[in-house]
Amino acid sequence: MTGEERPTWHHAVVLAIGCVGVIGLFWARLGAGSDASGLGLAAIVAATVSYCVGSVVARPLVGPVKPLALTMVQAAIGGSALLGLSLVLEPVSRDTLDAFLTPAAIGSLLFLLLLGTIVAYTIYLVLLREWGTMRAGLYAFVSPIIALGTGAWLFGEAIGWLEIGGAALMLVAAAMALLRPWEERPT
């Protein structure tokens, strides 16, 4: 459809292993007595699927349009849409506006803007152009592991054997996708 590689059994196996790993990461939080919201987890899955579909659809744009320019256009459109939605759906008061003017809020917004949007998304678009959607999409298997480690390191969050096993499966899936054994190797 977009000049991408065709799905194979290898892709399906990689995806299945990675998904089992994700389930391992969340399994303890889904158990009895957990306060995890099924709706929240469904939203995460829907967002991930949307991001994947968007990556496949956007891949043809990455060639003629520079990644940084594409990042800026998408951020401007997305930011405008989210601002409009938040003004319609969420109450805005003086307290809300004051909360945005605290050093912590300004620092957080600058971090998300600079590193989380401009740098990270531009790198992702470069990877999308150079590696294709499957290998560029490996962030979905790696970023939860980074979040897990960061939560344990900075906030003392407990990591159990299920999380470690899930992370290991996600790393195996990422390695399998990167190795791409179906391609001929130069001799």
Side-chain angles (χ1 to χ4, degrees):
M1 174 170 104
T2 61
E4 243 339 271
E5 60 191 82
R6 301 240 185 259
T8 65
W9 281 105
H10 184 265
H11 292 104
V13 169
V14 166
L15 187 59
I17 292 171
C19 288
V20 169
V22 170
I23 290 169
L25 282 180
F26 287 111
W27 190 260
R29 287 162 181 77
L30 295 174
S34 172
D35 61 354
S37 164
L39 187 58
L41 292 174
I44 290 170
V45 171
T48 302
V49 170
S50 297
Y51 201 84
C52 292
V53 171
S55 296
V56 172
V57 172
R59 175 94 196 286
L61 289 175
V62 181
V65 179
K66 300 287 185 214
L68 185 59
L70 192 54
T71 297
M72 295 305 165
V73 169
Q74 289 180 335
I77 292 170
S80 299
L82 286 174
L83 178 62
L85 277 173
S86 68
L87 290 173
V88 169
L89 299 176
E90 296 178 343
V92 178
S93 66
R94 177 74 180 156
D95 291 337
T96 304
L97 297 175
D98 288 343
F100 279 114
L101 298 177
T102 64
I106 292 170
S108 297
L109 288 170
L110 286 174
F111 176 84
L112 287 172
L113 174 70
L114 297 174
L115 295 177
T117 299
I118 296 172
V119 172
Y121 195 65
T122 302
I123 290 170
Y124 177 74
L125 290 173
V126 169
L127 290 175
L128 187 63
R129 180 185 66 205
E130 300 297 323
W131 281 10
T133 53
M134 179 172 169
R135 293 194 315 165
L138 292 175
Y139 81 90
F141 291 157
V142 176
S143 63
I145 297 168
I146 294 169
L148 182 72
T150 303
W153 177 46
L154 293 178
F155 303 110
E157 294 177 1
I159 298 177
W161 287 108
L162 280 173
E163 288 90 355
I164 292 170
L169 285 175
M170 292 167 72
L171 289 174
V172 166
M176 288 175 66
L178 285 174
L179 294 176
R180 297 166 58 128
W182 63 90
E183 288 184 348
E184 290 185 25
R185 306 239 187 254
T187 55

